[in-house]
């Protein structure tokens, strides 16, 4: 048996997310991070004409590839934009309905797509682990028409009850819950992407629904990694692994400084035509 | 109550603490303490911080220590051992960590901040209280302060734990009948803003995307500018369209080349990634005191830090390697 | 109603008519009808006005026929005999008079406008209804529309007859307990904005002080730009800080040199005072029909008007005598 | 007897207003008109360091003298400003308390300094005479700390009841009336300037009070030109006529195109040391 492919869980999520991009649409992202990398990858490989707006007021930039190191602090990240505005202005553009998709990373997510970027533990004032905070995620998840969430598939991340709801999904899932909370109509979470499974949301119940699973994983394995039981699509699609081309582009041009080399390594072996996962090893995580 | 006795239903309210909006108080401060004259406001960082940053003050800044932020002013705040500050961390970086390590802050309105053990430990020790907002909601609260109104309606934060722990309210909009949030204005006691250029009076220019420098300056009672460059006022008057902030908003002008160091001012110098790693390592190893001693307390000023801790050679490299100036300076 | 059953008192309400705010309706329009792609939006003034200005539309514009206003687009609106328009006249000049003489408008939200017998007679004949606001309140209602919220709080208009005849409300601010006004957002059906430069996609630059071009463009469902100059999109991307409006707000780009004629675009050409006198005399003498026939109906386009009615020699004089370009083009 | 001086009523009001300017203060004016001319005159003759902000977003310009013709449509009017912003921005600066004085022209004023810029007649929809509207006057009169009004002294202008209250003075004059209507505290009308008299407002009753009268006029003549009876100061000051220097500066440099040559001509004769008014003639009004 020969090793066919090796990638990290983080890389997988970026690749799968990039495949969800819809040509000619306008995306809203925070400054830096996997969501932006997914968009940059998509622009290189599949949907060159998507444009994105950054939380800091940068509108439709054309970042050069290979991308600059330390993106959040690089003038190049804002280069060749059509306009440099500010945070309030782009939030207003989102509020007016111009921004189709928001792409965000989440620490914890529940069955209605609500998510946590604030802390883990049972006491807000004395967090077991404190994170950066909602950042721009709450406005992006509230004002864009559709939200795509990125996270890892782990029981501690797909929870029945969030330690803290930083940003809204469908709230309690009841019809019109977002509108009753003051949010614009017809908005909400669209996809949740992990390294081995992609979820959507049921139109009727607004509950998370398993749509696709990696061939080297299984529905049972996926459900086993979740504290709540999602709906499962009648026809769960196979989630094609990252291709050599996708990984090469990601590593050489989108993330040359290797910030996405985190999470675990996944090695796939070609077992007589079917891909099988080799034993996992922890990744060398860079700062 | 109106003849018709109409009312607007308050559907829900957050229970978080916040600075009570006081637009008339802001107006009186402006009337009594802000200079309408064109006066030379250049002063040292020591004078600016000692005169305009009081213990217990609500402090806002723009952008952050990674990019076009007032790093040198923040270090001076630490050097002067300011205490009990309430920080507005709208898309901050490790600024909040530095000020926490320096013992300067007791409260943070957080949008986003880089977090490590310093902040987590301070919270668990009860030395630091966090108030959860979002980057946009904080920028918007500054806009409300800049508009001189007590609140603004907002179409998010409702339904979340951010709302529950905040000063936001959910009301029934009297125009559409739909639910809409209100968030209280914030008028910081002082704003620290790093700019690309300004004249001696405080007429300032900022290049590149901002966070909310204009709203932050307008909303704040005192405004301290650190600037990479002080330019002739004639240059300001030749290009009024290039001005980001007019002089009367500004209280102090501190000349601070490399004022964002170790961060970047796009078009002028790149970030010092080695320094950022040194900071990261210091935090992980619990050696923030040594870090602050080296970079803040053992030097008398920003200039001395640049000379003795960074060195001209490194500064030249940082400038030389910031080759992308398009849209900023070309 | 909140568990605590709290309410906000409505202290007073105006009784004037206004377009009911509908932020979600605006959002749906943007979702379904605004192009996110970079597409060539250049078209003739005829196509732009016939496609995007419907009878009965609420129309806003920036600035006015005296200075950097969309005069050529307004003449096209008259030429196409649009009817029953509701005009936002925030610091307008004689724009409102022209459109009234052309029979195009039936309602005006007025901040300020130059007024003569045309408007007075139309009002007395019941053909024209006036809704009194102020320049600032109208600019602010456009800001509310631009923010995507149904209303904004305002610290004036209360207590006046402007308030009484408006859609404003006076409420008890839930944060300070003080009285504060609310004014409804306006989202015009179409905005006519004249700019100095833009690319084929609608990325636009405006030089000089504005009234509210950004708020007006953001608040409006459709945006028609007339521009003195169409520049290469590469130029836009080289200087993102110089952009006033991003492309996705814009529906049409009409190349219109001297587009503000008889007014001025500072730095490019001065106003034609003789023409303004000719207009004034025509109004005083009750000869607006002749004026419109000469300047609008008897010519097929803005270009033809410039050629046949103004003449190259006059145009050259107007350019030559606009000697002050500092801050605009130098 | 020799003609000592000839000026128009409009010129007189501009001169008197210019004398009220306080050095180092920030003024807020609409675009063009007598208030701006009064400020420009003051900057030339008495208070060179006052600065002004214009409703269109122009902050602290330095207009060259002689001033350009057709000021409202002249780029030069905005020249050498410290910043070019927009209408909302400067209104916010006023709302924040940065703008000390607003100077405005009024069509009609009542005893509490409320004024009308909208129409004359008894039916708003069918005006006997329609004016331009409130313009920026309402925000300026509401948000600046003090308001200076300019108008002509005539019975039809100083009325018991306005045909329309476009902009607020002290409203009904009751204590806190402006605050109850939603306006900032400690603001309100400060002076009303006409060609022959200057008024202030009583601190207790907020009613208009006669402060100064031109020597060629009299308290009785002034009161005779008003529909309501103002308070009269214990010591009504003499209002020195425009000086040769003031008129020369106004005509040569501030208003070279003669837009202020409107209203009536006033000619003063030297009658043995006292100034006496010669017979009035209507002025040649320019467009």
């Amino acid at each position: 048996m020969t090793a066919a492919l090796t990638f990290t869980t983080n890389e997988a999520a970026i690749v799968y997310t990039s495949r969800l991009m819809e040509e000619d649409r306008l995306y809203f992202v925070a400054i830096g991070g996997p969501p932006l990398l997914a968009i940059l990858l998509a622009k290189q490989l599949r949907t060159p004409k998507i444009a994105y707006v950054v939380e800091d007021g940068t509108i439709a930039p054309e970042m050069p590839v290979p991308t600059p190191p330390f993106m959040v602090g690089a003038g190049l990240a804002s280069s060749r934009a059509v306009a440099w505005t500010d945070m309030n202005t782009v939030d207003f553009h989102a509020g007016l309905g111009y921004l189709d998709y928001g792409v965000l990373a989440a620490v914890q997510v529940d069955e209605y797509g609500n998510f946590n970027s604030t802390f883990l533990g049972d006491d807000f004032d004395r967090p077991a682990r404190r994170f950066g905070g909602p950042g721009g995620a709450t406005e992006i998840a509230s004002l864009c028409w559709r939200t795509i969430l990125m996270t890892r598939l782990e029981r501690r991340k797909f929870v029945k009850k969030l330690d803290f709801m930083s940003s809204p999904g469908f709230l309690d899932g009841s019809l019109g819950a977002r509108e009753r909370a003051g949010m614009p109509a017809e908005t909400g979470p669209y996809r949740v992407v992990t390294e081995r499974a992609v979820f959507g949301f049921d139109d009727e119940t607004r509950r998370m629904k398993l749509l696709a699973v990696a061939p080297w994983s299984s529905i049972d394995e996926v459900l086993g990694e979740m504290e709540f039981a999602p709906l499962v699509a009648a026809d769960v699609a196979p989630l094609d692994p990252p291709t050599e081309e996708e990984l090469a582009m990601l590593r050489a041009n989108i993330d040359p400084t290797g910030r996405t080399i985190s999470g675990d390594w996944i090695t796939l072996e070609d077992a007589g035509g079917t891909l099988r996962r080799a034993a996992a090893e922890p990744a060398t995580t860079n700062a | 109550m109106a003849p018709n006795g109409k009312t607007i239903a308050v559907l829900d309210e957050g229970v978080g603490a916040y600075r009570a909006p006081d637009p008339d108080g802001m107006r009186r401060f402006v009337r009594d303490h802000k200079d309408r004259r064109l006066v030379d406001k250049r002063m040292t960082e020591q004078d600016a911080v000692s005169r305009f940053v009081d213990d217990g003050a609500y402090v806002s800044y723009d952008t952050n220590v990674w990019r076009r932020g007032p790093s040198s002013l923040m270090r001076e705040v630490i050097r002067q051992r300011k205490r009990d500050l309430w920080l507005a961390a709208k898309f901050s970086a490790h600024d909040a960590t530095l000020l926490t390590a320096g013992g300067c802050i007791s409260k943070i309105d957080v949008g986003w901040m880089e977090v490590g053990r310093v902040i987590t430990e301070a919270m668990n020790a009860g030395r630091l209280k966090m108030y959860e907002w979002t980057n946009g909601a904080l920028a918007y609260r500054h806009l409300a302060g800049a508009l001189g109104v007590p609140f603004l309606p907002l179409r998010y934060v409702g339904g979340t734990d951010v709302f529950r722990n905040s000063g936001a309210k959910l009301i029934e909009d009297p125009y559409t009948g739909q639910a809409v949030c209100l968030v209280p204005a914030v008028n910081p006691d002082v704003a620290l803003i790093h700019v690309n250029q300004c004249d001696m009076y405080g007429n300032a220019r900022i290049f590149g995307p901002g966070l909310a420098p204009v709203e932050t300056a307008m909303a704040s009672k005192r405004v301290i500018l650190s600037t990479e460059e002080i330019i002739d006022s004639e240059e300001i008057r030749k290009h009024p369209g290039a001005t980001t902030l007019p002089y009367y908003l500004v209280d102090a002008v501190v000349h601070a080349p490399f004022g964002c160091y170790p961060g970047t001012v796009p078009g002028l110098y790149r970030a010092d990634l080695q320094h950022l790693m040194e900071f990261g390592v210091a935090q992980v190893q619990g050696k923030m005191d040594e870090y602050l001693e080296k970079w803040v307390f053992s030097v008398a000023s920003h200039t001395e830090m640049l000379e003795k801790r960074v060195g001209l050679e490194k500064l030249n490299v940082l400038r030389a390697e910031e080759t992308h100036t398009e849209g900023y300076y070309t």
Side-chain angles (χ1 to χ4, degrees), chain A, chain B:
Chain A
M1 290 183 288
T2 61
L5 205 61
T6 298
F7 50 88
T8 69
T9 50
N10 201 350
E11 287 180 317
I14 291 170
V15 166
Y16 299 149
T17 302
S18 75
R19 295 174 184 171
L20 293 174
M21 301 296 148
E22 191 183 343
E23 187 59 301
D24 296 325
R25 290 293 171 184
L26 203 47
Y27 290 78
F28 197 3
V29 291
I31 302 166
L36 178 53
L37 298 178
I39 286 171
L40 295 174
L41 180 61
K43 278 179 78 71
Q44 290 299 316
L45 292 179
R46 270 184 207 80
T47 50
K49 290 188 292 184
I50 58 174
Y52 65 97
V53 170
V54 186
E55 187 187 6
D56 71 358
T58 304
I59 296 177
E62 288 177 348
M63 203 187 308
V65 293
T67 60
F70 194 53
M71 222 176 261
V72 293
L76 265 175
S78 313
S79 67
R80 294 182 51 76
V82 299
W84 284 338
T85 65
D86 54 32
M87 179 169 277
N88 276 318
T89 298
V90 290
D91 284 348
F92 301 152
H93 291 176
L96 289 166
Y98 281 98
L99 300 183
D100 300 296
Y101 287 91
V103 190
L104 298 161
V107 169
Q108 243 185 1
V109 59
D110 72 15
E111 68 179 323
Y112 292 111
N114 306 300
F115 58 103
N116 175 11
S117 326
T118 295
F119 83 102
L120 295 179
D122 51 20
D123 182 351
F124 176 86
D125 291 323
R126 288 172 167 67
R129 184 163 176 206
R130 171 73 211 194
F131 295 92
T138 304
E139 43 271 32
I140 291 173
S142 301
L143 303 177
C144 292
W145 289 101
R146 290 172 160 180
T147 309
I148 297 171
L149 292 179
M150 300 173 67
T151 187
R152 275 193 72 176
L153 189 69
E154 298 175 2
R155 280 188 75 81
R156 62 193 185 109
K157 288 177 168 293
F158 285 73
V159 296
K160 284 184 173 155
K161 184 170 184 334
L162 299 172
D163 293 354
F164 189 89
M165 193 203 297
S166 310
S167 306
F170 289 113
L171 300 178
D172 66 3
S174 63
L175 186 61
R178 284 170 65 95
E179 291 80 350
R180 285 195 302 279
M183 280 175 265
E186 297 160 43
T187 56
Y190 174 67
R191 292 288 185 271
V192 179
V193 181
T194 74
E195 75 285 356
R196 78 188 69 182
V198 173
F199 303 85
F201 292 87
D202 178 62
D203 292 339
E204 293 308 308
T205 64
R206 285 158 293 280
R207 285 176 56 204
M208 198 180 292
K209 178 195 264 182
L210 178 61
L211 299 182
V213 174
W216 44 267
S217 182
S218 69
I219 293 178
D220 288 349
E221 185 190 45
V222 168
L223 300 187
E225 290 289 355
M226 302 171 70
E227 202 178 271
F228 62 86
L231 301 174
V232 178
D235 49 353
V236 172
L239 196 52
D240 297 337
T243 65
E244 294 284 3
E245 182 196 22
E246 288 168 325
L247 292 173
M249 177 63 71
L250 177 58
R251 293 169 182 176
N253 291 320
I254 306 305
D255 182 35
T257 54
R259 296 177 75 83
T260 58
I261 302 176
S262 58
D264 295 338
W265 289 105
I266 293 174
T267 294
L268 300 185
E269 300 170 331
D270 186 339
T274 66
L275 288 169
R276 192 178 63 194
R277 184 176 181 183
E281 314 159 21
T284 49
T285 305
N286 82 339
Chain B
M1 189 92 33
N4 55 29
K6 275 192 193 167
T7 61
I8 295 168
V10 177
L11 305 172
D12 198 0
E13 293 183 296
V15 297
Y18 58 94
R19 278 288 184 94
D22 179 16
D24 280 341
M26 174 69 182
R27 284 177 56 89
R28 290 190 188 96
F29 184 92
V30 166
R31 178 190 61 194
D32 300 338
H33 301 293
K34 302 289 281 194
D35 209 324
R36 282 83 160 144
R37 295 172 303 159
L38 286 164
V39 290
D40 186 348
K41 293 165 185 164
R42 289 172 297 178
M43 61 184 79
T44 64
E45 64 211 22
Q46 291 86 345
D47 289 348
V49 169
S50 61
R51 281 180 59 185
F52 299 122
V53 183
D54 299 329
D55 289 351
Y58 189 103
V59 180
S60 192
Y61 57 101
D62 201 279
T63 304
N64 62 41
V65 67
W66 285 341
R67 181 170 174 160
R68 218 213 72 238
S71 309
S72 64
L73 295 177
M74 292 231 176
R75 283 186 291 264
E76 182 60 25
V77 167
I78 296 170
R79 192 175 289 116
Q80 292 189 23
R81 303 182 187 279
K82 297 295 181 182
R83 290 295 178 260
D84 194 30
L85 303 178
W86 189 334
L87 194 70
K90 51 174 155 64
F91 187 52
S92 55
H94 64 259
D95 322 63
T97 297
L98 280 174
L99 291 167
T100 302
C104 304
I105 52 178
S106 58
K107 302 185 192 69
I108 302 179
D109 281 343
V110 65
W112 188 86
M113 60 192 176
E114 196 182 56
V115 173
R117 59 187 279 190
V118 168
I119 283 176
T120 308
E121 285 167 6
M123 288 181 75
N124 279 279
R127 294 196 310 272
L128 181 61
K129 172 77 179 149
M130 205 66 62
Y131 299 99
E132 209 77 356
W133 289 92
T134 81
N135 287 344
L138 272 180
Y140 198 61
R141 289 183 61 203
H142 283 74
L143 178 65
L147 268 51
V149 294
F151 63 84
L152 284 177
L154 185 66
R155 301 199 73 194
Y156 60 90
V157 305
T160 66
D161 289 332
V162 168
F163 176 91
R164 199 148 323 289
N165 295 276
S166 78
K169 299 175 191 294
L170 185 73
I171 69 160
E172 186 181 52
D173 164 29
Y175 287 96
T176 64
Q178 298 172 339
V180 66
C181 286
L182 304 181
V183 291
V186 64
N187 289 107
D189 294 306
V190 60
L192 313 178
I193 302 174
H194 189 57
V195 303
N196 296 77
Q197 303 175 326
C198 71
D199 67 11
M200 66 167 70
Y201 308 120
N203 293 300
R205 296 172 174 175
I206 292 173
F207 306 143
L211 281 190
V214 176
E215 301 90 319
T216 301
M218 284 171 67
S220 299
K221 291 178 175 173
R222 295 294 193 185
V223 175
I224 303 176
L225 298 186
S226 56
T227 182
E228 290 291 332
E229 190 183 355
I230 293 181
I231 61 175
D232 192 306
S233 201
E234 278 301 297
E235 176 60 23
I236 292 286
R237 290 192 183 273
K238 281 196 180 107
H239 302 284
T243 305
T244 311
L245 305 173
Y247 69 93
Y248 49 75
L249 301 177
V250 175
D251 296 282
V253 170
V254 177
H255 187 208
F258 282 98
C260 184
Y261 180 89
T264 178
V265 169
L268 278 186
Y269 49 87
R270 69 163 173 84
D272 182 353
L273 301 187
Q274 289 156 278
H275 183 120
L276 295 180
M277 287 301 293
E278 178 178 335
F279 166 84
V281 169
Q283 175 164 220
V284 170
Q285 297 184 350
K287 295 182 176 168
M288 285 305 298
D289 288 349
E290 291 87 330
Y291 174 88
L292 291 180
E293 179 60 26
K294 173 182 176 185
W295 292 100
V296 180
F297 295 117
S298 70
V299 289
S301 68
H302 176 58
T303 305
E304 189 178 327
M305 183 206 74
L306 292 178
E307 287 169 356
K308 296 189 175 171
R309 298 286 177 267
V310 187
L312 189 56
E313 188 176 346
K314 164 63 84 63
L315 295 178
N316 289 337
V317 169
L318 297 178
R319 274 200 195 279
E321 292 185 358
E322 181 68 0
T323 53
H324 178 74
T325 60
E326 183 180 87
Y328 298 99
Y329 289 88
T330 56

